[in-house]
Amino acid sequence: MNKVLLIIQREYLSRVRKKAFLVTVFLVPVLLLAMYAVMYLIYKNSSELNAIRTVKVLDETGQFAGKMQNKPTIKFEDVNKPLAEARKDLKTHKDDILLYIPKDYESLKSIQLLSEKKPNITVSMAIERQLNDIATNNNMIARGIDTAKIKDVKSNISISAKEVTDSGDKESNVGALYGVGVAGAIIIYLSLFIYGAQVMRGVIEEKTNRIIEVIVSSVKPFQLMLGKIIGVALVSLTQFLAWIVLSVVVSYIANKYFNAPQSPMLGVFASLKGVPFGYIVSCFLFYFLTGFLLYSALFAAVGSAVDSESETQQFMFPITMPLLFTYLISVTFLAQNPDSTLAFWLSIIPFTAPVAMMVRLPFDPDPWQVGLSMGLMVIGFIFTVWVAARIYRVGILMYGKKASYSELVKWFFYKE
């Protein structure tokens, strides 16, 4: 046990002392602070974004003039002059827009929007929406339909989602739950690949440098592999905890000094209040650690079976395919159907559970399903570590021979 602890200590300290680790730890909070600062500057100088555009309405039909309603960033003015003269006015008033409605616009199925500077999509859509509403209203009046009655019977219903619990009804923001679940799945997916690859590269490096021959003379291969995996896991966990703490500090500073009243981020943070972060973060750490141990053991076995990183491709795809498949359908199917049969099975199979269950957790799956998933994750990573260790003990001392799947099976059945 002492040897395993020494290996863990070596792997951990050798990685956290690197400049790349320190730069990465502080880079994310700095970028987050920079994002807040940029948002603050944008909203502080939002006068340019919210500049009022004047729209000159040249209506040859007489159906739209005087009916266009001003908006916060759009001001309508009716003009009564020839088209050529109205076009010339755009040369002197470059920020103005000319809305030209010809007499035969219905046959042309088009109305022109002329300007020296291209209008943004928001302005164009707002003008188009008003034109369609006025044209529809005119058509109903022409057919003898009382538009006033239609407005009276028109309803404006908004849905307020609530979750029914034993302690009472709770606010349930579906969008926030969807975002948290998908974000957790993406973080675990990327982390397993990034940190698992570090384990594999470390094994390959020690094998090609022949350092491994000296190490295994005093340490059992299983102890070496286990210590390396746990050491890298602690490094990744340290990095995540540092990001969480520093991001909270940065967010506090940003809210205090860069808080723009109109910022949409405030609405995002408000919508997350109903999300059980304590429960989700605890489960995230569990699935991250168990998933990392499971996949890192496989990555270590692959690293021991090859002599260079270019030879790992034939073994990597079968290992990562379950994780990749679950990740691809998480954003589409699982997040929209968290209680489906497919979601249930993917969340209890150890190779897919870290991603699938993170998508389901914000939607409160049954406690027995979470317990079953966690139990199988523990059993899964123990079994996987045992299998990988039997391959690792032989592969780390093999040189100059390309391994195949049949060769890996032979290594597994070799006696101690």
Side-chain angles (χ1 to χ4, degrees), residues 20-83:
F21 176 83
L22 297 175
V23 169
T24 307
V25 165
F26 291 101
L27 183 61
V28 170
V30 168
L31 291 176
L32 184 62
L33 183 62
M35 181 190 72
Y36 275 108
V38 170
M39 290 178 60
Y40 172 77
L41 292 174
I42 289 174
Y43 283 97
K44 185 178 180 181
N45 301 280
S46 60
S47 57
E48 296 181 5
L49 298 175
N50 299 322
I52 298 176
R53 300 293 297 270
T54 301
V55 179
K56 303 292 183 66
V57 182
L58 179 55
D59 182 15
E60 294 182 349
T61 65
Q63 299 178 13
F64 299 90
K67 297 179 180 178
M68 304 293 289
Q69 297 180 356
N70 294 333
K71 298 295 180 182
T73 58
I74 307 174
K75 179 183 177 183
F76 293 97
E77 292 182 3
D78 295 329
V79 295
N80 188 13
K81 58 179 67 176
L83 176 61

Side-chain angles (χ1 to χ4, degrees), residues 262-334:
Q262 306 96 328
S263 175
M265 290 299 293
L266 296 178
V268 174
F269 291 141
S271 66
L272 296 176
K273 290 182 178 178
V275 179
F277 277 107
Y279 172 67
I280 291 178
V281 170
S282 301
C283 292
F284 170 84
L285 293 176
F286 174 83
Y287 281 104
F288 170 78
L289 289 174
T290 53
F292 178 82
L293 291 171
L294 188 152
Y295 275 95
S296 292
L298 297 176
F299 282 129
V302 170
S304 68
V306 299
D307 294 331
S308 65
E309 197 169 343
S310 60
E311 298 176 14
T312 62
Q313 301 304 318
Q314 61 173 323
F315 301 110
M316 290 292 291
F317 182 71
I319 293 174
T320 58
M321 185 172 61
L323 199 63
L324 179 61
F325 168 76
T326 310
Y327 169 74
L328 292 176
I329 66 171
S330 292
V331 182
T332 54
F333 181 81
L334 295 187

